[in-house]
Amino acid sequence: MTILLRDDFRGDRRTGRALGPARGDDPARDGRDVEGVISVDSGALRIAPPLHAGWGRTCLSYGPFPNEPGLAFSVLLLNGHNTSQSEVMADTLRSRLQRWAHGSGAAPVGRRLRHWLASGRVRRTVRQVRWWKIISAGSTRVNLMDENLAVGLYPAPAGDPVREGAGFVMHADGPRNGELWTGADGCWAPAVLSVQNVPVCYVAVVRANDVLLGAASLPGAHGLGALPAFRPLALVPRPGAARLHAGLQQAVLGQIGFRADTRVHGVRVASLPELGMQAAGALVADRGLSGTELSGRQAPVGGAWIRETGLWRLATPAAAGLLRVRLAPAELAADGVTLAWRTVGGDARWELRLTAGGARLVIVERGARRELATAIWATAPDDVQVLDDGREVSVLAAGGLVFGQRFPAALPVLDAAAPGLGLVLEGTKAPRGLLALEAYPRELPLPAELVAGQPWNPAAGETVAADPLAGIEGDLAGRTLPVGGRTWSRLRGQGVLAGGGAGSAAVQWRASPAAPLPDRTIYAIDWDDPGYAELEVTLTPPGTARGQREHGTAGFCLWQDEDHCLLINTWLDDCYGGASLSSFFTIAGFEDLYDAIWTNVGERITWGRPLRMKLVSDGLRYTVSLDGEPVLHRSLSDVYPGCRPLRITRVGLLGNWEWGADTGSRFADFRAAARPAGGLGGPGATRG
């Protein structure tokens, strides 16, 4: 085991000067920075939004390294916005500047402009205006793109990552945020849908005949492993070049004129020969199966084939998360190959039947068969892979979803964690045309040589204030919390947060579609720990369905003073086919709407459905979770270089303005916790 390269970005470098020869503890960095948008500060590389979209312009690269089995690459980064797109704004430049000057309306325009001039962000805004001019309504100068980030192993340091090499591409997917593609040499498959705006560790390992790709993030992040483990996502062809560059490219950053910087926290390249072996990390693997006798056969990985009713099975010690079937389509018999997984005895399992003409997906429950989907091939593939993370199942081949959709994995009777993998057949010989079968667990440990840092993720805090917010009569202001003895007060705004009296299960913004909240309104309690706050509440957006003109913009506030605060809120409106979780910043008295950081959450937020919302912050970094899933993670210094942490003096509930005001969101079961007994420890407390 040998570490070939380590980059932790220890030395600050000015914009446009991040690439170049080794300096101090920093290794040499290759690549391209056409617009001078790459810099290093606060222990991370920063990529600011380029004015012009395209591959080969903003590239960070290392190497080249020999293309040998065991070559492994990992990078921990926070993409500025996973749904970044290059597109033409609906606004003219004039209307955009008017909205920028007016902001949310929380402060007079004159005061805002004075604070802006004193904020040190004038040059930042001037560059933003240059971007707006390029993409303003009616522009013909925009290179339209929906792919924004590429990470992987490539034959050149600044080539076209969509056409060559092996790795990942982040594709903007609108209401569902980012769609993570995996692939090689121009053939891409959608591995994970709805990747949220949280740090991701990307991993690529060259093996004897392929490249294993995987990814990880915070515990509970959708579709990804939990660091320090990673989720295997694909096995793709090994590039043919004799030497490979490890790196990443940013083609687009931001969306509809909103800016967000990407932060790269660590890079590792290592030689790990044990990971370069064919089927390294597999639960089971067998090759050369076509027409072979299974009775008494021992698989190289996984042991003996076991006979059950209508099924030949290999025992797996854990549930399979990535399954791969290699085929010789021209040799397939009429009945093809039927793969089975999550096998529970002989009466429950998933089945995927593959023939020369098409595919069929079936579940077996208590012995009864139920067909979920069918597909017809134009050309039969020779490599089919199944992803099953316990929550959804995807079947991938030839760069796409075989059935055009993903399937909920938590079906009745079938155990999402059931081990077992096999072939459905009546005889004792493996089907003709079946070349190989492999299965990998849902998570693999990340070798220490590839740990490029861990996101900030403190242990749970200790409750110091709580309020069920139930059975309250009238305005919440003046109420003493049952736990902690603090008092609610209206901190800002003219809106009213009130309960409906005995029997009411929540408090609600007194608002409606006809009379939304009059302005940004905050109810808060005093807070004793300026360096940590952990807030939770059950939030129910207004209305019951689309089309009722309801608008949800409710959430949390972390408050230092009139000139410094962090606002977190939901965003739900008829005008968009999804929902968002947004964050806004007032720093040194100035709030720039177009510095807002948000994530598109699809149907995680919807009309009338309660959700559990959680915010954890140390005044600088913050993570927001919905129903236990982290969806938004950021540091104030990611947005504003050198930004100091907030000194949290009050925490509370928010009704915000975000292109409209709240029309009646409800809150219940509020909880506030202080820092954990051991401080702000936990994995990665010093990183991102």
Side-chain angles (χ1 to χ4, degrees), residues 151-355:
V151 177
L153 297 167
Y154 307 106
D160 186 342
V162 175
R163 296 186 179 181
E164 57 188 15
F168 308 86
V169 167
M170 188 64 73
H171 170 81
D173 195 47
R176 294 172 296 190
N177 214 55
E179 183 175 63
L180 183 61
W181 295 353
T182 55
D185 298 328
C187 185
W188 298 96
V192 184
L193 181 63
S194 198
V195 180
Q196 295 299 291
N197 289 345
V198 293
V200 178
C201 178
Y202 298 92
V203 180
V205 181
V206 175
R207 308 195 310 174
N209 298 310
D210 53 35
V211 178
L212 172 65
L213 300 175
S217 184
L218 293 163
H222 173 72
L224 306 171
L227 283 166
F230 70 99
R231 180 188 175 194
L233 291 173
L235 296 162
V236 301
R238 179 178 168 185
R243 296 172 71 81
L244 295 173
H245 298 259
L248 62 95
Q249 291 198 35
Q250 192 90 57
V252 186
L253 258 178
Q255 188 182 35
I256 55 174
F258 287 78
R259 63 166 290 150
D261 295 353
T262 287
R263 298 287 268 165
V264 183
H265 291 282
V267 175
R268 299 289 186 274
V269 181
S271 176
L272 306 174
E274 72 283 3
L275 293 186
M277 299 173 61
Q278 193 60 37
L283 294 168
V284 298
D286 203 351
R287 305 175 69 82
L289 285 165
S290 182
T292 61
E293 178 66 44
L294 295 179
S295 179
R297 180 180 176 88
Q298 294 282 327
V301 180
W305 284 88
I306 304 167
R307 180 65 176 173
E308 294 180 351
T309 305
L311 179 73
W312 281 93
R313 183 168 68 88
L314 288 169
T316 59
L322 170 62
L323 302 93
R324 186 189 200 186
V325 182
R326 297 299 305 272
L327 303 171
E331 301 176 15
L332 287 173
D335 55 354
V337 173
T338 301
L339 174 71
W341 73 99
R342 292 205 210 166
T343 57
V344 182
D347 65 352
R349 59 184 177 264
W350 285 70
E351 290 183 1
L352 175 64
R353 184 183 180 190
L354 304 167
T355 69

Side-chain angles (χ1 to χ4, degrees), residues 587-598:
I587 304 295
F590 182 68
E591 175 190 27
D592 191 329
L593 285 181
Y594 296 98
D595 286 341
I597 302 294
W598 79 91

Side-chain angles (χ1 to χ4, degrees), residues 115-127:
H115 281 295
W116 169 66
L117 289 171
S119 69
R121 290 177 246 162
V122 173
R123 292 182 62 185
R124 172 191 182 96
T125 306
V126 170
R127 182 177 175 83

Side-chain angles (χ1 to χ4, degrees), residues 457-476:
N457 184 34
E462 299 176 358
T463 300
V464 296
D467 192 337
L469 301 175
I472 297 172
E473 182 72 46
D475 197 327
L476 183 65

Side-chain angles (χ1 to χ4, degrees), residues 269-531:
V269 181
S271 176
L272 306 174
E274 72 283 3
L275 293 186
M277 299 173 61
Q278 193 60 37
L283 294 168
V284 298
D286 203 351
R287 305 175 69 82
L289 285 165
S290 182
T292 61
E293 178 66 44
L294 295 179
S295 179
R297 180 180 176 88
Q298 294 282 327
V301 180
W305 284 88
I306 304 167
R307 180 65 176 173
E308 294 180 351
T309 305
L311 179 73
W312 281 93
R313 183 168 68 88
L314 288 169
T316 59
L322 170 62
L323 302 93
R324 186 189 200 186
V325 182
R326 297 299 305 272
L327 303 171
E331 301 176 15
L332 287 173
D335 55 354
V337 173
T338 301
L339 174 71
W341 73 99
R342 292 205 210 166
T343 57
V344 182
D347 65 352
R349 59 184 177 264
W350 285 70
E351 290 183 1
L352 175 64
R353 184 183 180 190
L354 304 167
T355 69
R360 179 176 299 169
L361 187 63
V362 172
I363 59 170
V364 179
E365 301 174 278
R366 299 191 182 94
R369 300 172 62 81
R370 178 156 63 93
E371 186 175 286
L372 296 180
T374 60
I376 298 175
W377 315 120
T379 301
D382 60 5
D383 189 337
V384 179
Q385 299 183 31
V386 178
L387 286 172
D388 180 353
D389 66 355
R391 291 178 288 187
E392 63 182 18
V393 171
S394 306
V395 183
L396 305 167
L401 290 167
V402 169
F403 302 105
Q405 62 176 307
R406 295 167 169 84
F407 300 89
L411 294 167
V413 179
L414 293 181
D415 182 1
L421 175 76
L423 298 168
V424 178
L425 68 160
E426 293 301 329
T428 62
K429 291 185 177 181
R432 294 199 315 273
L434 173 61
L435 302 182
L437 182 65
E438 298 173 60
Y440 296 81
R442 289 175 181 158
E443 286 191 334
L444 285 170
L446 187 65
E449 294 83 357
L450 295 181
V451 175
Q454 294 222 17
W456 179 72
N457 184 34
E462 299 176 358
T463 300
V464 296
D467 192 337
L469 301 175
I472 297 172
E473 182 72 46
D475 197 327
L476 183 65
R479 171 180 166 83
T480 299
L481 280 72
V483 176
R486 302 160 200 245
T487 302
W488 289 106
S489 63
R490 188 191 290 118
L491 184 60
R492 169 178 280 181
Q494 302 301 312
V496 175
L497 185 59
S504 64
V507 293
Q508 180 174 350
W509 292 116
R510 289 284 172 87
S512 68
L517 274 183
D519 55 10
R520 174 181 286 169
T521 303
I522 299 169
Y523 278 62
I525 58 175
D526 291 339
W527 196 246
D528 299 330
D529 187 345

Side-chain angles (χ1 to χ4, degrees), residues 60-81:
L60 173 67
S61 182
Y62 302 88
F65 304 96
N67 181 2
E68 298 174 347
L71 176 64
F73 167 49
S74 70
V75 55
L76 176 66
L77 66 85
L78 177 56
N79 194 14
H81 194 15

